[in-house]
Amino acid sequence: MAEPLVVGAKKKTRKQLIDEVVKTACKVTGTQHLDAADRFIVQVGYALVWPKPKDADDHLIRASALIAEMAPQNVTEAMLATQMIAANDAALMFLRRATLDNQTFDGIEANVHRATRLMRIFNEQLEAMQKLKGKASQQKVTVEHVHVHEGGQAIVGAVSQTGVAPRADPKDQQ
């Protein structure tokens, strides 16, 4: 008999969880084709380096849960989510290795360096994902000094252009 797992408030068997992974694969990965969804889930499963999944089913269950949390809406977001999960997992593995008992100074340095590079990559991926999802932070510019010289014009306040306004007749400005 399959070992029951607790997911949410209900206990599900491994078989039920695998069936659920297959049924929801396209929705979870934001893809249209089961082959593409399967590819992403398998890639994420093999990217899980620590703790190692117990078996192939465990790979699929954990991978599906992780990619579902990223909520990709299309294949581009699914690719990026896959890379982000892999980079994060690898970074944490290298940090774990850096803190092993009896680790040499060179071993600590090398593992921290690898983890740092991967965390930087993850942050870049996160920014890319936020842009794809339309959640990128907007830059704020504060103008402290404005000099308007004779004959010049200035506008103070928020400016947005929704269309082209008709030009005023120069005679009306006198």
Side-chain angles (χ1 to χ4, degrees):
M1 185 172 160
E3 164 190 342
L5 298 175
V6 177
V7 177
K10 300 177 183 178
K11 289 185 178 183
K12 293 185 180 183
T13 66
R14 291 180 95 59
K15 174 149 180 29
Q16 288 172 322
L17 289 170
I18 291 300
D19 289 346
E20 191 174 304
V21 167
V22 173
K23 285 179 193 170
T24 62
C26 289
K27 182 180 178 193
V28 164
T29 59
T31 58
Q32 297 176 10
H33 302 285
L34 187 56
D35 287 345
D38 179 60
R39 181 181 176 101
F40 292 125
I41 291 171
V42 169
Q43 287 175 338
V44 169
Y46 285 118
L48 301 176
V49 293
W50 186 80
K52 280 281 188 202
K54 298 172 203 153
D55 54 33
D57 288 352
D58 199 34
H59 272 281
L60 295 176
I61 294 165
R62 290 173 186 246
S64 181
L66 278 170
I67 203 161
E69 289 295 323
M70 300 288 293
Q73 299 301 306
N74 56 51
V75 72
T76 305
E77 289 181 13
M79 287 178 180
L80 189 53
T82 300
Q83 293 171 17
M84 291 173 72
I85 292 166
N88 181 67
D89 221 47
L92 295 175
M93 178 197 65
F94 285 121
L95 286 175
R96 182 181 59 83
R97 286 183 182 176
T99 60
L100 291 175
D101 289 340
N102 302 318
Q103 181 66 271
T104 65
F105 179 77
D106 289 340
I108 293 169
E109 281 286 309
N111 284 303
V112 167
H113 180 70
R114 289 178 190 124
T116 301
R117 286 189 349 214
L118 286 163
M119 287 186 284
R120 250 186 232 119
I121 289 169
F122 178 84
N123 283 334
E124 290 171 11
Q125 292 167 329
L126 182 59
E127 287 178 22
M129 183 65 86
Q130 288 173 331
K131 285 180 185 176
L132 284 172
K133 290 182 179 267
K135 296 179 182 178
S137 60
Q138 294 187 359
Q139 208 172 22
K140 181 180 176 182
V141 177
T142 303
V143 179
E144 293 187 17
H145 302 285
V146 177
H147 299 281
V148 181
H149 298 280
E150 189 176 327
Q153 297 178 351
I155 298 174
V156 178
V159 178
S160 65
Q161 183 175 359
T162 56
V164 178
R167 295 193 112 221
D169 189 351
K171 292 182 232 170
D172 294 338
Q173 294 181 0
Q174 293 182 10

